[in-house]
Structure formats: structure tokens, C-alpha cells
Amino acid sequence: MRSILKSKKGISPILATLLLIVIAVAAVIVTYAWVMTFTASTTSQAGAMLAPENVRFYSADDVEIVIRNSGTSDAKVVEVYQGTVSASLEKQSSVDYDPDTQIVGAGSSIVIDFDMGPNWVSGTRYYFKVVTEEGFSLPFSAEAP
């Protein structure tokens, strides 16, 4: 029994060093794989980046909105809202889009034209919201000339 306790053999220092190197390399590979997956999913979510380029009030009650997509993927505009108070916007029913597909491509723009209903009043601030098929909402405002 005493001979078993006296023989205290461990692993050699060379084997211990190699084992530590293998564990460190494995940890680096796992971390690299996780970071690459995380950044790929984060950057693909950026997609469309919409911004109002121009708002034009013309004739008595017509408005033309130009929306630019500076993102890397297309977006389809499905709803347009307008009002004089940002908290209570009304959905516009008769909206014309150019292009007719309602798709604003990456690096391009879309022209949205609609009848506001009552005549717009010079000097009044109007609020707009454009909603895409993916659920992205772009609120902005403009003052009538």
C-alpha cells in the first residue's frame, strides 16, 4: 500500500505545455467562429436604410415625397401616413408610386405622390410616416412653403 502512495508520477512538463497550447488554440478557434457568425448576422440586418430626400407641396392639396435607400438591400413601401400632429397620423389610401412596384432599390429612390385631402396651408408643419413591408417605420416632417 505504501509503494502506491510513494510513486507520485505526473505528466511531463513538455506534455503539459503541449496540452495548454492545444487548449488555447481550440479556445481561439471557437471565439473566432462565434465572432464571425455574430458580425455576419448583425451586418445582414442593416439592409435598407431609408431617408427622406425631398418633400414637395404642389397644386392645392398634392404632396410628393422622395425617399432614398442608401442601404444594401431593397425595401418595399406598403403604407404612407400624414397629419398635422405626429401622434395622430392618417393612413393615405390613394397613393401613387414611381416605380409602381413600390420597391425602392438599394442606392436608388422612390417617388410617393398623394392627395392630402384638405388643402395644405403655407407655413404649417406636416408630419409623415412611411412604412415598409419589413415593418421599418420612417417618420419625418416638412413645412409647407
Side-chain angles (χ1 to χ4, degrees), residues 4 14 26 36 42-43 51-52 54 56-57 70 76 87 91 94 104 110 112 122-123 127 131-132 135 137 141:
I4 295 175
I14 295 174
M36 288 297 117
T42 304
T43 55
N54 187 32
R56 181 172 74 106
F57 297 86
S70 60
K76 183 174 184 179
K91 183 178 177 182
S94 62
V104 54
I110 186 170
I112 303 169
S122 181
Y127 297 88
V131 180
T132 66
S137 177
S141 66

Side-chain angles (χ1 to χ4, degrees), residues 94-105:
S94 62
V95 180
D96 294 322
Y97 299 94
D98 183 22
D100 292 335
T101 60
Q102 297 173 257
I103 295 175
V104 54

